[in-house]
Amino acid sequence: MTVPMKYSLLERIDSPADLRELNRRELPQLAGELREFLLESISQTGGHFASNLGAVDLTIALHYVFNTPEDRLVWDVGHQSYPHKVLTGRRSQMGTMRKYGGLAGFPKREESEYDTFGVGHSSTSIGAALGMAEAALLKGEKRRAIAVIGDGSMTAGQAIEALFNAGHRDDIDLLVILNDNEMSISPNVGAFNNYLAKLLSGKFYNGFRDASGKVLERLPSLKELAKKGEEHVKGFFTPASFFEELGFNYIGPIDGHDMETLVTTLANIKELKGPQFLHVVTKKGQGYKLAVDDPVKYHAVTPFTPCDGMAGKSAGKPTFTQIFGDWLCDMAAADEKLVGITPAMREGSGMVRFHNEYPKRYFDVGIAEQHAVTFAAGLACEGLKPVVAIYSTFLQRAYDQLIHDVALQNLDVTFAIDRAGLVGADGPTHAGSFDLSYLRCIPNMAVLAPADENECRQMLYTAYQHQGPAAVRYPRGSGMGVAVEKAMSGVAWGKGEIRRQGSKVAILSFGTLLAAALEAGEALDATVANMRFVKPLDCELVAQLAAGHELLVTVEENAVMGGAGSAVLECLAACGVSVPVIQLGLPDAYVEHGEQKQLLADCGLDGAGIVAAVRKRLAA
């Protein structure tokens, strides 16, 4: 992206070393230019927006004070990493953000030495930074590790586990920064809090604390009294007690948009030893009023006009997420035992309407996927009918709970698995590439893969009526445009259907690749079956197709290894049937970000790709 002259400071920054050449008084101007640049850039490419605007000042201050990349900077999730990318030599590439072959939407180690840890899922930063700090200690290297984590990510157990592991280690150079953008504590942020933070991070206070501790070593009762006094003073002014008990020196909260306070506080902390915890309060969307007023709407955006914002953008065809949300409300109206659970993905999973209409039956457990699944198991034990709405890639984080707490006890929990298959611009960290493989091997688990919008609604109903754990997986975005029937009639359990009759070749389609399979079927005069169920697999239909065709082709938007195609091979082997089979699906590699249509074509999962694979096999 070409940088206009209005970015007089920003255009001079090609690395954090350039940033550190600026006078401290110039940093607020740089922050304004960087926000303007991000608005201009993201409005053209789309991507995560409000969180990036909120992290501008903190990002500048971190790279200004610390010697990155020698000092390791680890971002949690990475929704706020765009300013970091701009300041670390990727400004000219921001126009390629999340596009095929362009910059990733999250920190990525292969992309830059400044991206010290690849992320996309939440709550990993503290553990990763602790590992880096420990490695520095073992290798005798003097550098600091800094983890920047949001208040939402702090709700996950993994973050708390890392805090427990890191505390009370006076030899570890670790700084954890809580980037808190919840409005509830904003009244606590002001001049006095900023002054207090500078005081608590300064050499005088910390030197006095260390020296007095040594003096009072021989007088335990006085030392304990002094320690209690310190705790009471700090606890009166700041919410320090929890982190102090874990062994961190707590500092804050401070205003995350006050550059002078940020730089001074970070510079003081840089001189301290042991685990430090800095609490920074920021505002999502800072600098762009529409995003400040509605940070949820502007969390992730498609291209828009800055002066108009996201207003007036056409909704288009209903998405699978919307279809799930409507079904959930309709099912809740029909069955008072239904309860809905989400791990902090109310909007993303389509549960806003359900939350509004059934607030007492709606549970957002925070970014805690493991807890979400076990919580659902507990509800099911008491006769309720939990529906867990979760992304495929996030359900991976609760795999033990899925097996041990739900499936082993054969509990009646329905999993609505969104973002199954490739997810386009979000890339491999968010792609649901493995759920068919990791679900179908679990005893008692049923796995359903609807082909279109109406099937999605009907199969959600079918899974819900099933006694035991059942998962319905559906992709991001919209489908073929099939009209959705209001009535919930369901589908025959464990049965697929033939959608096109042909000869020689039979294509067995699992899920929403049915349209591509039908296109290939027309070109090849092949039989096309909509299999619907991955587990229980319709072995009767598989045997029928094997008996009447010379070649079977399985098609799925899931890893080939262990997926639906593998289930077909197992079925054939169990039946003693020998017939050539082509397994088409996602390769044994991580598929990078880009347009879903392009990515599917690259994987040979469009109509042309299926035809090419079949003709190649027939020619051989």
Side-chain angles (χ1 to χ4, degrees):
M1 173 177 288
T2 303
V3 183
M5 288 303 295
K6 62 181 177 181
Y7 303 122
S8 59
L9 290 180
L10 186 61
E11 68 178 0
R12 292 159 49 188
I13 309 300
D14 292 319
S15 72
D18 297 329
L19 170 63
R20 291 188 280 269
E21 293 296 319
L22 296 181
N23 187 289
R24 184 186 291 200
R25 292 190 299 273
E26 295 177 296
L27 299 183
Q29 178 185 336
L30 177 64
E33 292 183 12
L34 182 50
R35 279 197 174 85
E36 184 65 27
F37 177 84
L38 289 171
L39 174 59
E40 183 177 347
S41 173
I42 301 173
S43 67
Q44 296 175 30
T45 64
H48 292 101
F49 185 60
S51 51
N52 279 297
L53 291 182
V56 164
D57 308 282
L58 177 59
T59 305
I60 291 173
L62 283 168
H63 282 296
Y64 188 77
V65 171
F66 291 98
N67 184 31
T68 54
E70 183 65 22
D71 287 326
R72 308 296 198 244
L73 181 56
V74 182
W75 300 97
D76 205 275
V77 185
H79 291 158
Q80 75 288 57
S81 64
Y82 293 13
H84 162 79
K85 295 200 177 204
V86 173
L87 296 174
T88 54
R90 287 167 278 182
R91 185 184 66 232
S92 63
Q93 299 170 268
M94 291 298 288
T96 71
M97 176 64 70
R98 292 159 50 92
K99 295 181 180 179
Y100 189 70
L103 292 179
F106 303 93
K108 187 175 180 181
R109 282 171 57 82
E110 298 89 338
E111 196 174 283
S112 170
E113 64 177 336
Y114 292 93
D115 292 359
T116 61
F117 197 74
V119 293
H121 289 190
S122 81
S123 314
T124 62
S125 60
I126 301 175
L130 175 59
M132 294 173 185
E134 189 71 68
L137 193 64
L138 292 171
K139 294 162 67 177
E141 298 173 352
K142 186 174 175 57
R143 53 179 168 79
R144 187 174 286 274
I146 305 108
V148 183
I149 185 169
D151 52 285
S153 295
M154 193 63 85
T155 65
Q158 186 175 1
I160 303 302
E161 290 167 8
L163 286 173
F164 272 99
N165 190 211
H168 301 286
R169 287 288 307 277
D170 293 339
D171 55 345
I172 287 287
D173 285 331
L174 174 68
L175 168 60
V176 176
I177 298 176
L178 174 61
N179 179 21
D180 187 342
N181 47 45
E182 283 293 319
M183 299 301 293
S184 59
I185 69 167
S186 56
N188 296 326
V189 178
F192 182 72
N193 277 281
N194 289 338
Y195 169 76
L196 183 63
K198 291 179 184 178
L199 175 66
L200 296 179
S201 66
K203 289 183 179 179
F204 174 78
Y205 171 83
N206 285 275
F208 173 77
R209 185 181 65 175
D210 293 343
S212 62
K214 294 176 181 178
V215 170
L216 297 176
E217 279 290 348
R218 298 178 183 179
L219 301 172
S221 59
L222 290 179
K223 179 183 177 183
E224 185 62 27
L225 178 63
K227 178 175 173 58
K228 290 295 183 183
E230 179 195 31
E231 288 176 353
H232 289 154
V233 170
K234 293 184 72 175
F236 180 77
F237 292 113
T238 65
S241 56
F242 174 73
F243 300 105
E244 293 278 3
E245 287 297 325
L246 292 180
F248 282 82
N249 178 42
Y250 175 93
I251 298 162
I254 67 172
D255 184 349
H257 304 302
D258 183 331
M259 189 68 75
E260 174 61 27
T261 295
L262 280 170
V263 171
T264 299
T265 304
L266 288 171
N268 287 338
I269 290 173
K270 187 177 180 181
E271 302 302 318
L272 302 181
K273 296 295 183 182
Q276 308 294 321
F277 191 99
L278 175 61
H279 187 166
V280 177
V281 178
T282 62
K283 186 184 293 293
K284 282 189 175 181
Q286 177 76 2
Y288 185 64
K289 187 176 186 304
L290 294 175
V292 170
D293 293 343
D294 194 348
V296 173
K297 181 177 181 179
Y298 286 88
H299 169 68
V301 298
T302 55
F304 65 96
T305 305
C307 59
D308 298 324
M310 298 290 287
K313 295 184 72 68
S314 174
K317 294 186 295 184
T319 65
F320 284 96
T321 302
Q322 292 169 324
I323 289 161
F324 161 73
D326 291 339
W327 168 82
L328 187 66
C329 292
D330 294 343
M331 196 72 246
D335 186 356
E336 63 181 13
K337 292 183 178 180
L338 183 149
V339 290
I341 302 167
T342 176
M345 296 300 295
R346 185 186 74 149
E347 289 77 16
S349 292
M351 298 184 73
V352 174
R353 180 186 157 200
F354 178 78
H355 182 201
N356 292 334
E357 295 183 11
Y358 301 96
K360 292 184 178 180
R361 293 155 68 182
Y362 166 83
F363 300 95
D364 182 347
V365 301
I367 304 177
E369 295 88 356
Q370 293 171 306
H371 167 58
V373 174
T374 302
F375 175 60
L379 290 165
C381 284
E382 298 301 319
L384 295 178
K385 295 271 289 182
V387 176
V388 179
I390 191 167
Y391 288 11
S392 170
T393 186
F394 298 153
L395 184 56
Q396 295 164 185
R397 311 187 85 186
Y399 195 53
D400 177 66
Q401 289 68 30
L402 185 65
I403 295 171
H404 185 273
D405 298 341
V406 175
L408 180 62
Q409 304 183 89
N410 200 27
L411 293 174
D412 195 3
V413 179
T414 301
F415 294 90
I417 303 179
D418 204 332
R419 270 57 166 189
L422 302 178
V423 292
D426 278 340
T429 61
H430 284 59
S433 304
F434 312 109
D435 55 78
L436 295 185
S437 301
Y438 71 67
L439 288 172
R440 74 175 195 87
C441 64
I442 303 175
N444 296 329
M445 178 65 68
V447 186
L448 292 71
D452 57 44
E453 297 90 333
N454 186 53
E455 269 200 355
C456 185
R457 179 177 173 87
Q458 303 307 326
M459 293 175 82
L460 284 163
Y461 176 77
T462 300
Y464 184 79
Q465 297 301 325
H466 173 70
Q467 294 299 306
V472 181
R473 59 107 68 173
Y474 45 90
R476 180 179 189 172
S478 55
M480 295 188 289
V482 173
V484 178
E485 299 172 9
K486 180 70 173 175
M488 292 183 283
S489 55
V491 299
W493 186 257
K495 293 296 180 182
E497 61 172 359
I498 293 178
R499 293 288 293 266
R500 185 189 189 281
Q501 188 65 55
S503 61
K504 292 187 178 180
V505 176
I507 303 173
L508 289 68
S509 176
F510 294 87
T512 53
L513 293 179
L514 178 63
L518 287 169
E519 179 186 333
E522 289 294 326
L524 298 165
D525 188 26
T527 297
V528 178
N530 174 23
M531 297 303 295
R532 287 179 169 168
F533 287 79
V534 177
K535 186 183 182 183
L537 182 68
D538 190 346
C539 279
E540 183 179 340
L541 179 55
V542 171
Q544 174 189 331
L545 294 170
H549 298 82
E550 300 174 9
L551 175 67
L552 301 187
V553 183
T554 64
V555 180
E556 61 188 302
E557 198 172 340
N558 182 85
V560 168
M561 299 178 72
S566 296
V568 170
L569 292 176
E570 293 163 12
C571 172
L572 293 171
C575 296
V577 175
S578 179
V579 61
V581 178
I582 302 176
Q583 292 175 261
L584 299 181
L586 301 180
D588 185 25
Y590 291 102
V591 179
E592 294 299 334
H593 57 277
E595 291 291 331
Q596 283 173 278
K597 184 178 180 181
Q598 175 69 60
L599 298 178
L600 287 172
D602 286 353
C603 294
L605 294 177
D606 60 352
I610 297 171
V611 170
V614 171
R615 286 179 173 163
K616 181 178 179 181
R617 174 63 66 87
L618 292 175

